[in-house]
Amino acid sequence: TAALFNIPLAAFYPYTPPHLKELGLTHPTAWMTLGQITEVLAMLALARLLTNVRLRWLLAAGLACGCLRFGLCALDARAAILLGITLHGCSFTLVFITAQIYLEERIDSTWRARAQALMALLTGGIGNLVGYLGTGAWFAANTRASGVNWPTFWAGLAAACALVLAYFLMAYRGRAAHATQ
């Protein structure tokens, strides 16, 4: 799921700054730090969340935040895209950090290093490669001589995230409440 989620996520980094500039927001790098701020805050809150919320629902919340992030960007308005950037930190933490915690808790120690390497390959390697190539093609398909059709571009990415969320909710089995480690 994390690797699939990484595919539409790849569009966030290269395409949000030009959209910010097009909306008249100068210094897009500074605006992008909103996501980093909320990422740190989400990491600080994660310990408390892990004691009160099951991993399944933390991962689902992160995926939902990703859908909402792109949905807000599709509104093509300053306030909406800034709110979307702010949601990025929550989404990133709840998906990727929680997935790493999942591996730490649920994978036998003799297999853990291999599982972590596989996750790194799938997310940072294959997920990024497919993501950058795929979202680059999607961006090109939404670009005309008159400019980029931002609402369609971001809405397509929101739909891709929604498909990943639906897949996760259907496929995730987790552990029964009565199971022991």
Side-chain angles (χ1 to χ4, degrees):
T1 299
L4 291 174
F5 184 69
N6 219 43
I7 294 170
L9 174 63
F12 178 75
Y13 306 108
Y15 299 117
T16 305
H19 192 186
L20 289 169
K21 281 186 176 181
E22 195 172 299
L23 290 172
L25 293 164
T26 57
H27 310 292
T29 305
W31 290 110
M32 294 291 285
T33 60
L34 289 171
Q36 292 174 318
I37 293 167
T38 56
E39 184 178 343
V40 169
L41 294 174
M43 283 188 209
L44 292 172
L46 192 56
R48 179 78 171 159
L49 289 170
L50 286 167
T51 62
N52 297 320
V53 182
R54 293 181 63 142
L55 286 174
R56 172 188 190 136
W57 300 116
L58 287 176
L59 287 163
L63 295 168
C65 283
C67 296
L68 186 56
R69 169 193 53 220
F70 288 137
L72 286 165
C73 290
L75 295 176
D76 200 26
R78 285 183 184 186
I81 197 168
L82 292 175
L83 185 54
I85 291 169
T86 302
L87 280 175
H88 170 73
C90 298
S91 176
F92 186 89
T93 298
L94 291 176
V95 173
F96 294 103
I97 304 304
T98 303
Q100 291 173 2
I101 292 168
Y102 174 89
L103 290 177
E104 180 66 28
E105 288 185 0
R106 305 284 172 90
I107 303 299
D108 183 78
S109 62
T110 59
W111 288 91
R112 195 170 299 136
R114 287 172 249 183
Q116 290 168 342
L118 179 62
M119 183 175 156
L121 173 67
L122 290 174
T123 57
I126 296 168
N128 273 344
L129 176 64
V130 173
Y132 284 117
L133 294 174
T135 61
W138 178 240
F139 180 78
N142 285 283
T143 302
R144 305 285 181 267
S146 59
V148 179
N149 183 346
W150 291 112
T152 302
F153 175 72
W154 294 119
L157 296 171
C161 285
L163 288 172
V164 174
L165 174 58
Y167 165 75
F168 173 76
L169 291 173
M170 289 185 302
Y172 183 85
R173 297 292 174 249
R175 182 185 320 165
H178 63 277
T180 60
Q181 288 190 354

